[in-house]
Amino acid sequence: MLPKNLRLTNNSAFKATYHAKNSVSDSLFIVFAGKLKKSEDFPTRAGFVVSKKNHKRAVKRNRLKRLMRESYKTAIKENKILQAQNFMSIVIVARNAAIGKDFYSIKSSIISLISKLKINE
């Protein structure tokens, strides 16, 4: 589990990230990025979303969210996600194809999408 200071926790933070209109996608995920940081005082916060439309079973949705969180966390520890540090918040939304994928395909997809994010100044 990500520490509380690295997680998006309230609905307004998710909405603000969606309205920034900076996103990239592939067949597994859509990644939304919030505004750019003005200072480096606080870490980038991440949120993970798996819709009920993807799968009706909560067990499947929760497993996918756990895999997404762990892949994001290990990618940060391995310093593979450096560009994410420029944004205030990131939301990763799963698509239907992500259900049932293994950890390594999820991790590589998240790393590639975050590296593709544009820094609009």
Side-chain angles (χ1 to χ4, degrees):
M1 174 81 66
L2 284 172
K4 184 139 182 153
N5 66 340
L6 296 179
R7 287 184 277 166
L8 287 179
T9 54
N10 54 3
N11 193 22
S12 62
F14 279 90
K15 285 183 180 180
T17 306
Y18 292 137
H19 289 299
K21 298 186 179 177
N22 187 7
S23 66
V24 292
S25 64
D26 67 358
S27 62
L28 299 180
F29 300 106
I30 304 168
V31 176
F32 294 92
K35 295 180 182 178
L36 291 174
K37 288 184 187 179
K38 298 213 178 353
S39 66
E40 299 296 322
D41 295 338
F42 59 95
T44 298
R45 298 170 64 203
F48 304 92
V49 177
V50 181
S51 173
K52 201 170 187 179
K53 291 179 182 178
N54 290 348
H55 202 281
K56 70 177 188 175
R57 300 280 180 187
V59 173
K60 298 281 187 178
R61 295 192 309 267
N62 291 338
R63 172 150 173 80
L64 181 56
K65 277 195 268 188
R66 284 195 307 270
L67 287 173
M68 290 163 57
R69 279 189 214 110
E70 190 62 29
S71 61
Y72 181 79
K73 184 174 148 183
T74 55
I76 287 175
K77 284 184 180 177
E78 296 170 359
N79 291 325
K80 292 190 177 183
I81 300 179
L82 296 176
Q83 192 172 12
Q85 297 169 352
N86 296 325
F87 299 104
M88 291 171 51
S89 60
I90 290 177
V91 175
I92 302 172
V93 180
R95 290 188 168 177
N96 286 338
I99 298 276
K101 294 290 182 183
D102 64 334
F103 175 76
Y104 297 106
S105 61
I106 289 174
K107 183 178 174 182
S108 65
S109 178
I110 288 175
I111 290 171
S112 68
L113 285 175
I114 291 178
S115 64
K116 288 180 188 176
L117 281 172
K118 292 180 236 157
I119 300 177
N120 299 329
E121 297 192 33

